[in-house]
Amino acid sequence: MSIRCADLAKVYEGGKSGWPALRGVSFEIKTGEFVAVTGPSGCGKSTLLNIIGLLDEPSGGKYEFNGRNVVSMTDQERSEARLGQIGFVFQSFHLLNRMSSLENVCLPLLYAGIDSREMKVRASSLLHKVGLKGKERKTPLELSGGERQRVAIARALANSPRLILADEPTGNLDTASSREIVDLLFGLNAEGITVVMVTHDKEIAARAGRNIKLRDGRLEE
Ligand SMILES: Nc1ncnc2c1ncn2[C@@H]1O[C@H](COP(=O)(O)OP(=O)(O)OP(=O)(O)O)[C@@H](O)[C@H]1O
Ligand SMILES: [Mg+2]
């Protein structure tokens, strides 16, 4: 797992000359790191995470994911890399409320073409791993915020990703649940998964091995 960005830029369409969200950002992230991305609202954190996660493309500069320049990847290669190597966790969970927690975790396995018996075995062992044994049949609306985020993390782990990208995963949680979710992410990192997490929380950022600080679309010295 490696991430290398050189002079990365992102300009969103709009206005006369567009909205510059990233203005030349260079850094590297290596296997096994735990990196916190910090900075004031609007500085480009989510934009950066979306580009790292191959959900969006840079408008300038270079991004190499595992040594491949992402602009040379086809859409299919990008979605395969996303599905097979990257797990996403969002502030607002992005779970399907009409499905049980088990079914939510099964979804990526379904896309990956895993057979339905193995899918359920794997999904329930992942729910167990994140501390939700016995809650397989509950829907997200029947779970607490912290529990919902655990389901989202189990789902992110479904295809055994090497990289987890988390955009303010504790932004909607109380202090106690935040701590539990962050501990869970640190536990996954200890198992060798690279974690890149956007956070506004100074204490959480201080626990990370490294911080990438953004301000106005640039790295802060
Ligand atoms: N789809 C979009 N179209 C146009 N401008 C956008 C779009 N998404 C983000 N922006 C702009 O790009 C800049 C960076 O946004 P981004 O969402 O990356 O910030 P952020 O650091 O994640 O902020 P927050 O902490 O509030 O989540 C902001 O000025 C924002 O208004
Ligand atoms: Mg954001």
Side-chain angles (χ1 to χ4, degrees):
M1 223 302 305
S2 76
I3 287 167
R4 183 178 290 147
C5 295
D7 211 19
L8 203 67
K10 177 71 185 179
V11 180
Y12 288 108
E13 280 173 30
K16 268 192 191 141
S17 48
W19 302 100
L22 294 175
R23 309 165 188 246
V25 175
S26 305
F27 62 86
E28 224 178 294
I29 296 174
K30 297 207 176 83
T31 302
E33 283 199 276
F34 194 117
V35 178
V37 179
T38 63
S41 181
C43 70
K45 304 181 296 297
S46 297
T47 301
L48 182 64
L49 215 67
N50 290 343
I51 292 174
I52 292 177
L54 309 174
L55 291 169
D56 200 0
E57 289 180 55
S59 10
K62 192 170 175 191
Y63 172 30
E64 283 179 3
F65 179 73
N66 289 339
R68 288 273 318 268
N69 188 342
V70 299
V71 296
S72 74
M73 292 166 80
T74 63
D75 283 348
Q76 190 182 345
E77 285 173 326
R78 268 195 283 266
S79 35
E80 277 170 14
R82 264 199 314 270
L83 186 63
Q85 302 184 51
I86 307 175
F88 293 92
V89 181
F90 302 95
Q91 174 172 2
S92 49
F93 322 122
H94 290 199
L95 297 169
L96 295 175
N97 288 334
R98 282 158 62 180
M99 288 188 170
S100 67
S101 41
L102 190 79
E103 287 165 336
N104 269 282
V105 179
C106 279
L107 270 185
L109 296 166
L110 192 71
Y111 296 139
I114 309 290
D115 83 62
S116 87
R117 242 193 77 195
E118 195 196 333
M119 190 164 78
K120 282 177 190 150
V121 171
R122 249 158 86 177
S124 62
S125 94
L126 285 167
L127 285 171
H128 194 170
K129 183 184 171 85
V130 300
L132 290 180
K133 194 170 169 24
K135 309 253 163 111
E136 292 83 354
R137 297 177 69 172
K138 293 209 170 199
T139 69
L141 297 178
E142 298 165 332
L143 296 171
S144 71
E147 289 172 333
R148 288 179 202 183
Q149 199 56 299
R150 286 167 189 274
V151 175
I153 291 172
R155 180 187 55 187
L157 291 172
N159 288 317
S160 312
R162 305 310 309 144
L163 170 66
I164 289 200
L165 299 176
D167 195 349
E168 296 192 53
T170 63
N172 282 336
L173 304 179
D174 59 58
T175 314
S177 311
S178 287
R179 173 170 281 272
E180 287 169 12
I181 290 301
V182 171
D183 287 345
L184 187 54
L185 291 172
F186 273 98
L188 297 171
N189 179 245
E191 292 175 19
I193 300 179
T194 307
V195 178
V196 182
M197 178 179 64
V198 172
T199 184
H200 280 287
D201 187 314
K202 290 207 169 62
E203 265 178 53
I204 295 173
R207 278 182 70 185
R210 184 151 76 96
N211 283 13
I212 289 178
K213 294 184 188 167
L214 286 175
R215 178 175 290 276
D216 268 346
R218 291 194 179 85
L219 288 189
E220 203 173 67
E221 294 314 316

